[in-house]
């Protein structure tokens, strides 16, 4: 198996990307990791004894975070994300992993790999950590104007991913909505409800915003705008609360002593909430495996994203989605 | 000043509603509180010596949480929320407060009070507690299919409310969106951006989900579906995290001792995050003051909601909105 890693994408590229790739290569000696990027920039992080299953592939250009995604992908044909995706298209890699511009990665995948037949729009499926384990939310921002049919396709793809990759048998699929009862919500939600209800998945009906962090559905279906807001609000609130806790439990001597005792407990929660543990978010619906990482990914997140990519290849995710789609 | 309180609405009605009303009456002897509901059910919570400024007003019917709001309001003309709203319409009360069905309260307000001229749809404006103080989010569920013009009207009304009631001078108004830059988001967000930019308020551009809990805007404008998801996700996540903290910091003897020491600090955070501190959410855009309380409101939240209602009357909120709307 070969995984192409965009070494130039992300806030900490190429150093942390390369570090993460090396750890992944050491953990899986049978997996070939191809670092795609500017060799001159990668070189200094690749000195010393490297695992044999790490290689480099030159891509002379880089797409920056603030470039217009589709234009940049069309123009910069030798950029790391375009080249890494092309390796998948040409069968020289089985998956691509990137922490660069999400828009560019999506555009590269759509233009380079195309869509799975029967899927109108791909969705970014991300994992939200909950006390009941990681739950899948999709779409969190690939598609800004989804139709009811597309939401139903997200439900099908999400269900397959949750079963095959997250190991949840008969995953409970919920539709994100403003109320629990059938008939609630805007026109999109009402129509999507009916399609999901008629689909062959384990649809449990509407879930409200407050149900999501409790893990009351294994797969949460929503359109990309709302999903993005949900995900980032959760990120922001968790950040604020941990910041406040840190401040308030160390604001005097007595509390500081108490903080020492409870710190391991708080660490357990922080670890549970750590996005990096789950690695990357698959772009579901494109004809190949493309794993999107948070722009701020460090080595651990990259290593885990490469692991996710491997698992997707192992279970033949694309074929599974293709086979399970209504004919 | 007279405030009509729907004594029959909410999970803890009438007991907690009446308790909250009595505390409010004691705190403001010059404000007349009118408890609207079934006298036979209110009676047992009204024994003993009552403040002179508490009175009862009979309404023989109650609208349940699961009834179709508009139908119920049309049919049950003698229900507590319809009667309480009618008192405002007839000038016998200056504001109405309810913890009952939000949909029914909205329908009663729309049918009974009508809209402020120039406002197409009312919005529920709720307060999200942040370390930087309470911030206003609107709409959180009054209107499921907002237009760019309506979002712009929310910005105007929210700005006035934040200035007059929250005491924030020149409030920063942000548009909830999936990215910070102009041009981001779906069609609705892109068009609303332009209208808000051209409006006379202090528009600071887009804010992302993660900016909201940090309090980076004083007023966050969004359409009702997404606003509802944001609010409930924040509620749910805060609930999960506090539950986890409670569990993890008391999981053994050492941690339990530490927990005793840090407890006051955690309490300070819980208090900061407590929705009840802020009382109710105004329904902005209707021709009268209607304060919506959480269904699970207890006495404290009701007392605070009555205080909010008083403040809205004092600053002549409706006239302020009317005066500030573009002619």
């Amino acid at each position: 198996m070969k995984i192409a890693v965009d070494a130039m994408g992300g806030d900490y590229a190429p150093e942390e990307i390369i570090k993460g790739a090396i750890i992944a290569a050491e953990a899986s000696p049978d997996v070939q990791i191809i670092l795609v990027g500017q060799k001159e920039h990668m070189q200094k992080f690749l000195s010393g004894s490297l695992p044999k299953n790490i290689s480099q592939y030159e891509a002379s250009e880089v797409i920056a975070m603030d470039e217009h995604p589709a234009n940049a992908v069309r123009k910069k044909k030798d950029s790391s994300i375009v080249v890494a995706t092309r390796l998948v298209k040409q069968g020289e890699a089985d998956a691509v992993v990137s922490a660069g511009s999400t828009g560019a990665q999506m555009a590269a995948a759509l233009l380079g790999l195309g869509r799975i037949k029967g899927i109108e729009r791909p969705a970014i499926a991300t994992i939200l950590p909950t006390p009941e384990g990681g739950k899948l939310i999709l779409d969190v921002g690939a598609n800004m104007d989804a139709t009811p049919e597309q939401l139903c396709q997200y439900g099908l793809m999400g269900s397959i991913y949750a079963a095959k990759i997250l190991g949840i048998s008969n995953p409970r699929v919920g539709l994100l909505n403003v109320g629990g009862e059938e008939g609630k919500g805007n026109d999109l939600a009402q129509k999507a409800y009916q399609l999901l209800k008629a689909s062959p998945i384990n649809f449990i009906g509407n879930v409200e915003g407050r149900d999501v962090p409790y893990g009351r559905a294994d797969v949460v279906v929503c359109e990309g705008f709302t999903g993005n807001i949900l995900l980032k609000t959760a990120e922001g609130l968790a950040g604020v609360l941990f910041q406040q806790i840190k401040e308030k439990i160390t604001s005097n001597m007595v509390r500081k002593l108490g903080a020492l005792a409870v710190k391991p407990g708080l660490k357990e929660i922080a670890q549970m909430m750590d996005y990096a543990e789950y690695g990357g978010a698959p772009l579901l619906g494109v004809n190949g495996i493309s794993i999107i990482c948070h722009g701020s990914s460090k080595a651990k997140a990259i290593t885990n994203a490469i692991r996710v990519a491997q698992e997707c290849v192992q279970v033949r995710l694309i074929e599974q989605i293709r086979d399970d789609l209504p004919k």
Side-chain angles (χ1 to χ4, degrees), chain A:
Chain A
M1 187 194 307
K2 293 176 185 166
I3 312 280
V5 175
D6 170 8
M8 311 306 288
D11 303 344
Y12 302 103
E15 184 170 6
E16 291 286 329
I17 313 297
I18 293 174
K19 268 193 199 167
I22 292 174
I23 298 167
E26 282 163 348
S28 306
D30 52 331
V31 174
Q32 183 70 26
I33 310 269
I34 310 166
L35 289 168
V36 180
Q38 295 163 323
K39 284 189 180 175
E40 51 171 307
H41 280 103
M42 298 196 280
Q43 208 44 58
K44 72 169 171 180
F45 306 107
L46 286 165
S47 51
S49 73
L50 286 175
K52 274 190 205 145
N53 53 332
I54 281 253
S55 62
Q56 292 179 70
Y57 196 102
E58 174 71 17
S60 64
E61 294 171 298
V62 175
I63 294 179
M65 288 307 225
D66 57 355
E67 290 186 72
H68 186 282
N71 292 350
V73 164
R74 281 197 195 89
K75 238 179 70 186
K76 294 185 169 173
K77 293 203 191 308
D78 203 41
S79 59
S80 53
I81 184 61
V82 171
V83 172
T85 307
R86 196 187 301 140
L87 292 179
V88 176
K89 169 75 180 171
Q90 295 170 340
E92 292 172 55
D94 300 290
V96 51
V97 170
S98 175
S101 155
T102 300
Q105 185 171 357
M106 270 181 9
L110 271 170
L111 293 170
L113 305 172
R115 286 173 285 110
I116 295 175
K117 206 184 151 189
I119 300 293
E120 295 170 21
R121 296 282 185 95
I124 301 174
T126 198
I127 303 222
L128 189 83
T130 82
E132 307 296 318
K135 304 301 178 185
L136 200 70
I137 323 274
L138 77 169
D139 172 36
V140 298
N143 178 11
M144 283 298 128
D145 289 287
T147 63
E149 289 73 21
Q150 288 161 9
L151 289 189
C152 187
Q153 291 159 15
Y154 298 172
L156 287 161
M157 294 193 292
S159 182
I160 294 167
Y161 190 87
K164 301 291 170 187
I165 303 296
L166 304 181
I168 301 167
S169 75
N170 200 24
R172 297 163 304 165
V173 180
L175 175 67
L176 189 64
N177 207 332
V178 298
E181 309 83 6
E182 189 173 338
K184 284 274 178 180
N186 54 18
D187 194 52
L188 173 65
Q190 289 180 25
K191 286 182 176 150
Y193 188 103
Q194 296 306 325
L195 296 177
L196 284 160
K197 200 173 148 186
S199 80
I201 58 175
N202 179 17
F203 179 57
I204 59 165
N206 292 327
V207 290
E208 294 189 65
R210 71 167 71 87
D211 299 322
V212 178
Y214 282 97
R216 290 187 185 132
D218 302 309
V219 178
V220 176
V221 171
C222 52
E223 53 81 30
F225 189 91
T226 307
N228 182 285
I229 300 295
L230 182 152
L231 185 71
K232 289 184 182 161
T233 300
E235 262 186 60
L237 185 62
V240 163
L241 282 177
F242 276 106
Q243 192 188 65
Q244 285 287 312
I245 289 168
K246 214 172 160 180
E247 211 171 279
K248 298 284 184 190
I249 70 175
T250 56
S251 62
N252 64 39
M253 243 0 230
V254 177
R255 292 187 190 181
K256 267 185 191 155
L257 283 171
L260 282 178
V262 301
K263 216 175 164 186
L266 297 176
K267 253 199 172 153
E268 284 163 29
I269 302 172
Q271 204 160 12
M272 177 199 95
M273 298 294 299
D274 186 5
Y275 291 81
E277 293 287 335
Y278 291 99
L283 180 64
L284 294 180
V286 291
N287 227 332
I289 291 157
S290 180
I291 307 290
I292 296 169
C293 300
H294 208 291
S296 63
S297 291
K298 295 206 174 181
K300 180 166 82 168
I302 300 296
T303 306
N304 284 330
I306 294 172
R307 181 182 43 72
V308 169
Q310 284 173 234
E311 289 169 3
C312 291
V313 177
Q314 265 151 13
V315 303
R316 304 174 63 251
L317 184 71
I318 307 299
E319 288 77 6
Q320 292 276 0
I321 293 174
R322 212 178 274 145
D323 291 352
D324 277 24
L325 279 177
K327 295 295 172 302

